[in-house]
Amino acid sequence: MIESATLPWLTAGRTKLLQGGHKHHCLLITGPPAIGKNLLALDLANHLLCENSAEEGACGSCQACHLVSSSMHPDLHILMPETYAEHDDSTLLNHAQRYLDTGQSSQKRKPSGQISVDSARLLAEALLGTSRTGGPKVALVLAADTLNRNAANAMLKVLEEPVGMTHFILVTSYPYRLPSTIHSRCVRVECQGPSSEDTATWLSARHAIGNKQLSALLMSGLGPIELDEALQNEDLKPINALIAYCMGDDDEIPHGLGLAARCANIGLERALTILQSMALATVRQSVKGRTPAAGRGLFRDVRFSLRAFHKLGLARERAGSAVDEQLALEDICAWMCGAHSQP
């Protein structure tokens, strides 16, 4: 498991947090996706619970640290949507299991992309009680923007009037999606993402990767943690295939079904991120007076790229609520290829 201390772009923010730079009981950690915000939040939670914490962080050897690392600390509470939990294989996931909707219905259902009101109520009730270990209680809410309105309302009282030494750490890449009632009760801590050069240096130090492949990955717009995971799992082929198709490297005229098929191999949310990043890259190159990298590809035209960037942003906002992801994917891909072919 990657540690936040090994991520150079988080060094300044991590040092400030661990040295008590923010003493408010409720922190909102924000920043670009997949840069290590969750790791930083977990480190801060461990630091707050540690019996011998120092400016460098938790000691790692006291009883509290052992309880955290073994997923057994009764005063560490983690809330996350079910879809988030699907991709989290860390031992700390066990801390979140008590709040995940177990779906007792006999019918199989799609994991929810929202934090439910039932989960929020369970957390609020737990935090209103006394500490099980006699120390602080820490509530960590990952992907806090997925709190629906009812879930947010269920947490308001405990946020406004925390019992005892209760600390809240909310993490999100999309703070504007949070209800104002939650946002106004937090102190925001902004984490800066790495530059392309920093991401390249970090990935090159961890993986044997050529410059050409590295350049393609950086074009994807995915965060360094997500790229590292793809490299670790040798899951680069579908990402490279989508980028090559959009760049025109396949010598194939882009069409809706072909684009949708390549996107489906990656997943809706990740594919939309890559497509929007490539559209933005063309716009940025144009502003700088340079020829777009996708010289003969899908995003070679600046005006189309601007429209596509906007349309893809709307699609990403609706992605979590799409009833049929494949249909939503085919719809946006058909629009892009149709609009791209128009003069």
Side-chain angles (χ1 to χ4, degrees):
M1 183 177 177
I2 301 169
E3 296 182 358
S4 68
T6 65
L7 304 176
W9 52 89
L10 292 182
T11 299
R14 184 178 187 276
T15 300
K16 188 172 184 179
L17 280 172
L18 297 184
Q19 291 181 357
H22 296 282
K23 298 184 182 298
H24 196 269
H25 76 278
C26 185
L27 299 179
L28 174 62
I29 299 178
T30 66
I35 62 168
K37 298 186 301 298
N38 292 345
L39 301 174
L40 178 60
L42 288 170
D43 277 356
L44 178 58
N46 198 0
H47 175 73
L48 291 168
L49 292 167
C50 177
E51 298 164 8
N52 305 307
S53 60
E55 290 186 351
E56 295 77 20
C59 70
S61 57
C62 67
Q63 183 182 18
C65 287
H66 286 309
L67 287 172
V68 170
S69 63
S70 58
S71 303
M72 294 175 61
H73 202 298
D75 291 320
L76 176 58
H77 308 265
I78 300 181
L79 208 58
M80 64 174 74
E82 291 172 340
T83 49
Y84 217 78
E86 277 188 316
H87 306 291
D88 193 326
D89 58 357
S90 70
T91 55
L92 290 174
L93 176 60
N94 293 331
H95 283 294
Q97 290 294 348
R98 54 185 144 166
Y99 299 114
L100 290 173
D101 187 350
T102 55
Q104 297 179 359
S105 169
S106 58
Q107 294 183 346
K108 287 186 177 181
R109 61 177 180 80
K110 185 179 178 181
S112 174
Q114 291 190 329
I115 296 174
S116 70
V117 63
D118 291 335
S119 297
R121 283 173 180 159
L122 281 174
L123 175 64
E125 289 171 8
L127 294 176
L128 287 171
T130 56
S131 167
R132 301 282 295 278
T133 60
K137 294 172 290 182
V138 179
L140 182 55
V141 185
L142 306 180
D145 56 281
T146 63
L147 282 164
N148 63 40
R149 189 164 295 279
N150 290 333
N153 289 337
M155 288 184 60
L156 278 182
K157 181 175 175 58
V158 72
L159 274 174
E160 290 176 332
E161 303 171 10
V163 176
M165 295 183 292
T166 302
H167 302 271
F168 292 89
I169 307 171
L170 280 63
V171 185
T172 179
S173 300
Y174 312 101
Y176 59 88
R177 294 179 184 170
L178 276 172
S180 58
T181 49
I182 296 290
H183 204 294
S184 63
R185 287 162 175 78
C186 304
V187 169
R188 184 166 166 176
V189 180
E190 183 73 27
C191 294
Q192 298 298 320
S195 64
S196 297
E197 292 76 14
D198 289 339
T199 299
T201 300
W202 184 73
L203 289 174
S204 297
R206 291 175 56 83
H207 305 277
I209 181 171
N211 290 335
K212 185 177 179 180
Q213 190 177 44
L214 188 58
S215 297
L217 288 180
L218 294 177
M219 194 180 297
S220 72
L222 300 176
I225 303 299
E226 195 168 3
L227 291 175
D228 180 78
E229 182 183 326
L231 285 163
Q232 200 83 14
N233 298 333
E234 298 183 352
D235 195 22
L236 297 178
K237 191 173 181 179
I239 295 176
N240 289 333
L242 176 58
I243 292 173
Y245 190 75
C246 293
M247 293 288 289
D249 293 346
D250 290 350
D251 293 325
E252 183 179 343
I253 298 174
H255 58 91
L257 290 179
L259 182 60
R262 287 163 177 80
C263 289
N265 291 334
I266 297 175
L268 178 63
E269 188 174 345
R270 181 179 283 187
L272 292 176
T273 298
I274 293 173
L275 293 174
Q276 193 179 34
S277 175
M278 295 187 73
L280 180 60
T282 294
V283 175
R284 284 177 169 166
Q285 290 295 321
S286 175
V287 169
K288 295 176 181 177
R290 300 174 184 170
T291 303
R296 55 177 182 167
L298 189 61
F299 298 104
R300 64 178 181 267
D301 180 73
V302 121
R303 292 201 302 181
F304 164 76
S305 296
L306 275 170
R307 293 167 61 204
F309 179 82
H310 175 69
K311 192 91 171 177
L312 288 162
L314 294 176
R316 288 181 68 186
E317 289 295 314
R318 294 192 296 262
S321 59
V323 177
D324 187 329
E325 287 194 357
Q326 183 61 31
L327 189 62
L329 196 54
E330 290 175 2
D331 180 60
I332 185 66
C333 289
W335 175 86
M336 287 179 62
C337 292
H340 165 264
S341 62
Q342 295 174 4

